[in-house]
Amino acid sequence: MTEKSTVRTREMGAELKIQREAKQMSLREVARRAHWSASKVSGWENGRRISPVDAAIYLAHCGTEASERDRLLHLTRPPSELYWVRPYFDELVDPMKSLIIQENLATSVISNSPMALPGMLQTEDYVRTVYELSGRYTTDRLKLLVQARIDRQQLLQRRNPPQCLYFVHEHTLRSILRDPALMHEQLQYLVLATNLPHCTIRVVPASAPPYHLVGSRFTILEFAEHPPVAYEETFAAGLFIDERVAVEAFYILRTRLEQAALSERESRDFLVRLAGEFDLMAK
């Protein structure tokens, strides 16, 4: 029976490959130096679990520096973990990097963002203003975070992107962030996003049941060769969930949102009308 990968093991695999390629080494070269089979190394890089000892040997052959090696070896412990927290306040951890790796491996992304617009669909001004509201970032850190969010959005422009479904809520869309001009620009951006063949936006109207009271902002990530994963965002941390029963609960909520949301065409028409309303308010 083939061992299933997890968010943690797939991130470790991606990190191993980055270290190898940084040294311009082939997969077979690493295998030869460590007396492993090429298939074993390939399995690790594709998300199969690697032991701390083998990971240390792999990184040693890649010449990875001690501080970076220690950070990566943390990904091999504990041996089994179906709930993985990535704290936002730890300066040594970049939680977005973990999410980006999973998004780039995914074939499908389903996002529900009841209290703010999905990060993948935010304009630069919207991103910056949301971060400013938190009041916890220096100017330099703020610039880095905004740029990281914009860079992450390149996923939607890449060749063969995942199929993306975004649920956005009317009360969020009508919440004026800073001023109507910013919201007009943001709504126009959403309208343009509906033209992408791999991007679907569904508006959950104010008349729908208050699903924003159920759970928090979450994303379901589906993969061609791995079980689906759920990701929840809070103010303090991001949480990856591999537990099958828990992930199934997110699918139940996704089905209810689909039943309550406007159709794809109705949602686009709604976004166009609301953009017009914000335009009039801004004048």
Side-chain angles (χ1 to χ4, degrees):
M1 180 177 175
T2 303
E3 180 185 6
K4 291 182 178 180
S5 68
T6 66
V7 168
R8 182 184 285 264
T9 61
R10 288 196 292 279
E11 178 164 349
M12 185 61 184
E15 294 279 16
L16 291 174
K17 186 175 181 180
I18 288 171
Q19 293 297 314
R20 173 175 63 77
E21 292 182 341
K23 295 296 181 180
Q24 298 184 331
M25 296 172 62
S26 69
L27 184 151
R28 292 185 179 278
E29 185 176 357
V30 173
R32 178 182 59 79
R33 290 188 179 189
H35 304 289
W36 293 321
S37 68
S39 62
K40 175 179 285 190
V41 176
S42 176
W44 289 333
E45 291 189 0
N46 283 287
R48 188 176 300 165
R49 187 174 301 282
I50 184 172
S51 71
V53 173
D54 285 334
I57 294 172
Y58 183 109
L59 295 171
H61 283 296
C62 292
T64 303
E65 295 183 359
S67 59
E68 182 71 356
R69 183 177 66 246
D70 291 344
R71 181 184 72 82
L72 295 178
L73 288 177
H74 180 69
L75 293 174
T76 66
R77 303 185 296 268
S80 178
E81 187 171 331
L82 298 179
Y83 292 82
W84 189 26
V85 177
R86 302 299 271 162
Y88 294 153
F89 292 99
D90 187 341
E91 294 182 357
L92 300 179
V93 173
D94 180 0
M96 285 299 102
K97 183 175 183 180
S98 301
L99 180 57
I100 288 168
I101 287 174
Q102 302 305 318
E103 287 177 331
N104 278 277
L105 291 170
T107 57
S108 175
V109 176
I110 303 159
S111 172
N112 176 52
S113 190
M115 304 309 294
L117 295 179
M120 293 292 287
L121 299 177
Q122 294 176 1
T123 64
E124 184 172 342
D125 278 349
Y126 192 100
V127 173
R128 182 181 297 104
T129 305
V130 168
Y131 280 133
E132 288 174 344
L133 283 175
S134 71
R136 71 189 198 204
Y137 301 114
T138 64
T139 301
D140 289 342
R141 180 64 173 166
L142 184 63
K143 289 180 180 178
L144 290 174
L145 290 171
V146 171
Q147 188 58 52
R149 177 64 60 82
I150 300 304
D151 290 344
R152 177 184 162 211
Q153 294 176 354
Q154 294 304 308
L155 175 72
L156 296 179
Q157 305 298 330
R158 79 174 194 193
R159 187 177 182 183
N160 298 321
Q163 290 295 316
C164 298
L165 170 60
Y166 297 101
F167 292 104
V168 296
H169 295 246
E170 180 178 351
H171 66 269
T172 299
L173 292 167
R174 292 189 179 278
S175 297
I176 299 179
L177 187 65
R178 197 182 73 192
D179 56 50
L182 184 153
M183 296 306 300
H184 174 242
E185 179 186 27
Q186 176 63 73
L187 267 292
Q188 284 187 312
Y189 187 83
L190 293 178
V191 172
L192 290 175
T194 63
N195 295 324
L196 297 173
H198 52 275
C199 181
T200 299
I201 298 177
R202 300 281 301 277
V203 174
V204 181
S207 59
Y211 287 114
H212 62 282
L213 300 179
V214 181
S216 59
R217 182 163 44 179
F218 71 82
T219 300
I220 301 172
L221 300 152
E222 297 177 330
F223 309 92
E225 300 179 356
H226 310 294
V229 168
Y231 176 77
E232 277 196 285
E233 294 182 54
T234 70
F235 182 68
L239 175 66
F240 289 99
I241 303 169
D242 281 283
E243 177 65 55
R244 180 181 60 82
V245 174
V247 174
E248 288 176 353
F250 287 99
Y251 276 105
I252 293 173
L253 184 53
R254 174 252 176 103
T255 298
R256 296 196 169 203
L257 288 167
E258 284 189 317
Q259 294 170 345
L262 302 178
S263 68
E264 187 175 353
R265 182 171 180 176
E266 290 171 336
S267 295
R268 188 181 191 281
D269 291 343
F270 178 91
L271 295 173
V272 170
R273 290 196 303 272
L274 189 55
E277 291 180 24
F278 282 125
D279 188 31
L280 290 175
M281 293 172 63
K283 293 179 177 179

